[in-house]
Amino acid sequence: MTIWRDFPGASTAPRSDPAAVTVGNFDGVHLGHQHVIARTRELAGGLPVIAVTFDPHPLAVVAPDHAPRRLTTTARRVELLLAAGADEVRILAFSPEMAAWTPQEFVDRVLVEQLRASLVAVGDNFRFGHRAQGDTTFLREAGERAGFGVDGLDLDGGAEPYSSTLVRRLVAEGRMREAGEVLGRPHEVSGVVRKGDQRGRDLGYPTANVPVDEAYAVPPDGVYAGWVVRADGPRLPAAISVGTNPTFDGVERRVESYVLDRTDLELYGEEIRVELVDLLRGMVKFDGVDALVVQMADDVERTREVLGL
C-alpha cells in the first residue's frame, strides 16, 4: 500500500540515515505545534528533523461525520512546518488500511522501516494505531525495543493548552484576535479569486471574491480587518466581508476583500490567502445603497485603526 502522499514540498523516499521524528496532525501549525518542532530540534543532537503529518485527517476516514473543519490547506501546512524548523515534511496517505494498523505496525512500518527514527517527539496527547490504542507509554516501550528514544511534550498554553480544537472554537465564535494568539499569526482562509457581482467596483470598493469552502474553518458572517496575501507579493491591508451580501439578497457565502486604497488590482484567477485579524461588526442588511456606502467607509477607517495604519 502507499504510505506517503506525493505532494509538492514533501518527501516520500525511505531514509537511509537516522533522523529525529515528530508526528501529529499539525492542523494549523499553532504555537503548540511550533513548540514541539523546536523542542524536537533541541533534542535531535544534530540529526535532521522530520515532521510527519496525515492527509486526509484520520477522522475523515474512520468517522467522516465527526471530521473537523481544517485550519489550513495541505500545501500551507507543509509550508508552515518547514518554516517552524522541520528539515523535511512527510505526509502519511491515511486510508482505511492504515487505520487498521496496530500501534506496533505503525512503529515498525513508519518510524523504523521508512524513517530510521533515532528519536521520536510527540505532543503528550498523541494517539495512534487502530482505534487510537497507541499512546506515549506504548511508544516509549516500543522505542526501547526498536532502539529509539521518545519524548512526550507539553503543548503549552497555560490553563487551556494550545490545540487545533481551541483554534476552531475561537474562529467559530469570531474571536479572531484570540485565535491569532494561539496560532502565532492571523487565522487565514484561501482560495482562487473569481468574478462576483462587481457591485463593489461600482460603489468604489472593488473586492477580491473567494467562495467559502465549508471544509475549512471560516468565521461567522461579518466584517473583519485583515490582510490579503498574494503568492508573489506583499501583504495588503484589507477590509473583509464574510457572508452572503444580504443587502442585495445574496445567496452564495463568500469572503470578499477590499484592499485599502487600491482600485487597480486584477486578481481574477489568482490564489490568495486572506488573513483575518479582528472582527469589526456583524453582518447587517441595509435599507439601501447609500447607507451601505457610509458604513463601508467607516469599516475602512476602523480597519486602518486595527492594523495600525
Side-chain angles (χ1 to χ4, degrees):
M1 65 173 291
T2 299
I3 291 181
W4 306 114
R5 182 176 171 191
D6 191 2
F7 194 88
S11 303
T12 58
R15 289 190 56 82
S16 57
D17 299 314
V21 179
T22 181
V23 187
N25 284 311
F26 295 122
D27 190 17
V29 194
H30 55 64
L31 289 178
H33 296 144
Q34 295 171 41
H35 166 71
V36 168
I37 294 171
R39 182 61 177 151
T40 303
R41 179 163 295 285
E42 291 175 4
L43 297 169
L47 294 174
V49 172
I50 315 300
V52 177
T53 186
F54 301 85
D55 189 67
H57 192 289
L59 279 179
V61 174
V62 301
D65 291 343
H66 298 283
R69 292 186 175 182
R70 297 168 62 182
L71 297 175
T72 61
T73 64
T74 301
R76 182 65 170 148
R77 194 182 347 157
V78 171
E79 180 182 332
L80 290 168
L81 287 169
L82 292 171
D87 294 300
E88 186 179 304
V89 175
R90 300 276 180 135
I91 303 174
L92 284 166
F94 201 78
S95 63
E97 293 79 10
M98 189 175 290
W101 285 358
T102 66
Q104 188 62 54
E105 283 181 288
F106 182 90
V107 168
D108 293 341
R109 299 178 73 167
V110 174
L111 300 179
V112 177
E113 295 173 13
Q114 287 284 314
L115 299 181
R116 294 201 60 195
S118 179
L119 167 77
V120 178
V122 293
D124 56 12
N125 63 348
F126 179 64
R127 298 291 183 274
F128 65 103
H130 184 57
R131 296 187 181 275
Q133 294 172 337
D135 58 12
T136 53
T137 298
F138 177 90
L139 195 57
R140 286 190 180 94
E141 295 170 352
E144 289 177 2
R145 294 190 295 270
F148 61 80
V150 173
D151 272 89
L153 305 176
D154 187 348
L155 294 183
D156 290 346
E160 189 168 10
Y162 295 135
S163 71
S164 302
T165 300
L166 173 59
V167 176
R168 291 186 195 99
R169 175 165 61 81
L170 294 171
V171 170
E173 295 172 358
R175 298 159 61 184
M176 306 314 298
R177 281 200 178 275
E178 291 166 87
E181 289 171 0
V182 179
L183 289 166
R185 65 183 188 282
H187 176 64
E188 61 194 42
V189 296
S190 62
V192 176
V193 177
R194 72 181 196 187
K195 284 194 174 182
D197 303 312
Q198 298 190 305
R199 292 193 185 96
R201 185 176 299 275
D202 294 338
L203 300 176
Y205 297 96
T207 58
N209 303 320
V210 174
V212 168
D213 185 340
E214 297 297 346
Y216 291 85
V218 178
D221 290 1
V223 177
Y224 297 79
W227 305 87
V228 167
V229 185
R230 306 175 72 177
D232 58 352
R235 296 162 79 235
L236 303 170
I240 302 153
S241 170
V242 177
T244 60
N245 205 340
T247 300
F248 297 100
D249 298 319
V251 175
E252 183 185 42
R253 197 161 182 249
R254 305 170 182 165
V255 178
E256 303 185 62
S257 304
Y258 165 63
V259 175
L260 271 53
D261 306 320
R262 297 290 298 271
T263 59
D264 59 327
L265 290 174
E266 291 293 342
L267 301 178
Y268 297 130
E270 186 173 326
E271 183 162 1
I272 62 171
R273 296 201 318 269
V274 180
E275 299 180 348
L276 298 143
V277 173
D278 202 5
L279 174 65
L280 299 179
R281 62 175 174 86
M283 188 58 66
V284 176
K285 181 173 182 176
F286 292 92
D287 292 333
V289 172
D290 291 344
L292 173 60
V293 170
V294 170
Q295 182 60 63
M296 292 171 72
D298 183 67
D299 293 338
V300 167
E301 291 312 306
R302 291 187 61 198
T303 295
R304 294 188 201 279
E305 294 173 9
V306 168
L307 301 181
L309 302 177

